[in-house]
Amino acid sequence: MFVKYLQNAHKELEILGCDKVGLGILSPKINHFCFLIENIKAPAAHILKQEALACGGDFALPKEAILSQQEHYKGILILTQSQSKPLLKKLKIQPFGLKTLALTIQNHLDNYPQNSQNLRDLQNPQNSKSHKIMGIINATPDSFYTNSRKSGKEAFNKILEMIEEGVDIIDIGGASSRPGSTFIDEKEELKRIAPIAEFIAKESLFQKTIFSIDTYTPKVAQFCLEKGFGMVNDITGFQNPLMQEAVLGYECQCVIMHMQKNPQKMQENPSYDNLFLEIDSFFARQIEVLQTKGIHNIILDVGIGFGKNLQHNCELIRNLRHFKHFGLPLLVGASRKSLINEIAPSKIEERLGGTLAIHLEALRNGADIIRCHDTKEHIQALKVWKELF
């Protein structure tokens, strides 16, 4: 008799020859979900513990919680999708805020794949067509990575090269947002962007791939949308009402990015009372603002390196799937950023390995789009990574 630990049980069930009905029954029993629950009232914590155990799951609490000496506690709820159904049903009739908790957990679960095929997609990225590579072109003289700076014919050639490689999205920016940078005049930004946008329109390149304009300037966004761009990537998260107005009437995707403070001051001792709660609140607010205006094609970017220290950045990558509860695609961009240097001291030109490590982990944790400088290497890494599942 031989025993083998299964890293990917869904794939092994397929190999085993289970029928589709059987897969639908077994898949919800495989995936374990863990939720960190903070500030839960002591009575609610004990009820949750009891009900979770009764359903076959558990709610981990500090050992001193048994004495209820504090009013509130923090714990980790552990359960499978199958166990969640009877547990949430019970919690919805309980006091002490447990009904609200149940609805919140249900929202998270509702935005995870629910049927057997989609559950396999969650485990097996080879089945998923959602992963996209976004290439970077900076029409700027001061972007932090020198090799990303392109203008004129050099920019045109780089665009054609990326299209040939099979890049899904090309993100073009005319204003640097590196730490310490300042907002520039919209005339200067437009001056940098216009020749590239005109080239894209003249050659009808928007028919071959999606073009994104990386801007916080309404006039630049609208100019590029008129030239066939299909995405607006706003580092300020569409907080400017004029940016919201600029995209109205266009069938474009809007990237809401979270940033604490502004590029000039964002890395001056960034701090959060609750990192995930604050980003959640920002996303919820901006999503509502856009949707109220009829804009629903939204992508979320947690803003790696934008007002975050090393610990913040690592926590966001590790727990990226948390933000799936919004039911929207997630974009991650950590290409050659300074967090890599903080982990493994290196020059900007030496950070490709660290970039790939972060981005592959981001994909594993729920990212849909990876924004990067080294598109050829990322496309290769993505293909190899998918084949391993």
Side-chain angles (χ1 to χ4, degrees), residues 70-87:
Q70 298 176 206
E71 289 187 14
H72 297 86
Y73 285 94
K74 177 167 68 174
I76 297 175
L77 179 63
I78 306 165
L79 73 167
T80 65
Q81 187 182 4
S82 292
Q83 293 161 356
S84 71
K85 294 179 180 179
L87 175 62

Side-chain angles (χ1 to χ4, degrees), residues 208-224:
K208 298 183 179 181
T209 194
I210 297 170
F211 286 91
S212 167
I213 177 61
D214 180 0
T215 187
Y216 44 77
T217 307
K219 286 187 178 180
V220 173
Q222 199 159 35
F223 176 83
C224 289

Side-chain angles (χ1 to χ4, degrees), residues 160-197:
L160 296 174
E161 181 184 314
M162 286 185 179
I163 292 173
E164 184 67 25
E165 290 171 356
V167 172
D168 302 288
I169 308 163
I170 300 177
D171 193 40
I172 302 170
S176 175
S177 56
R178 61 178 173 77
S181 63
T182 56
F183 291 126
I184 67 168
D185 180 80
E186 71 174 23
K187 290 183 179 179
E188 177 59 29
E189 185 182 358
L190 192 57
K191 180 182 176 182
R192 297 172 182 177
I193 289 294
I196 300 175

Side-chain angles (χ1 to χ4, degrees), residues 195-210:
I196 300 175
E198 296 284 4
F199 171 74
I200 291 166
K202 181 182 177 181
E203 301 296 326
S204 298
L205 298 179
F206 50 81
Q207 296 178 0
K208 298 183 179 181
T209 194
I210 297 170

Side-chain angles (χ1 to χ4, degrees), residues 349-375:
E349 294 75 20
E350 301 169 340
R351 298 177 190 166
L352 176 57
T355 297
L356 290 170
I358 294 171
H359 283 164
L360 290 176
E361 184 66 6
L363 287 167
R364 191 176 75 87
N365 293 338
D368 300 285
I369 303 169
I370 295 298
R371 183 178 183 273
C372 60
H373 299 97
D374 308 281
T375 51

Side-chain angles (χ1 to χ4, degrees), residues 35-46:
F35 297 97
L36 175 66
I37 300 172
E38 299 185 71
N39 204 34
I40 183 171
K41 294 178 180 178
H46 293 304

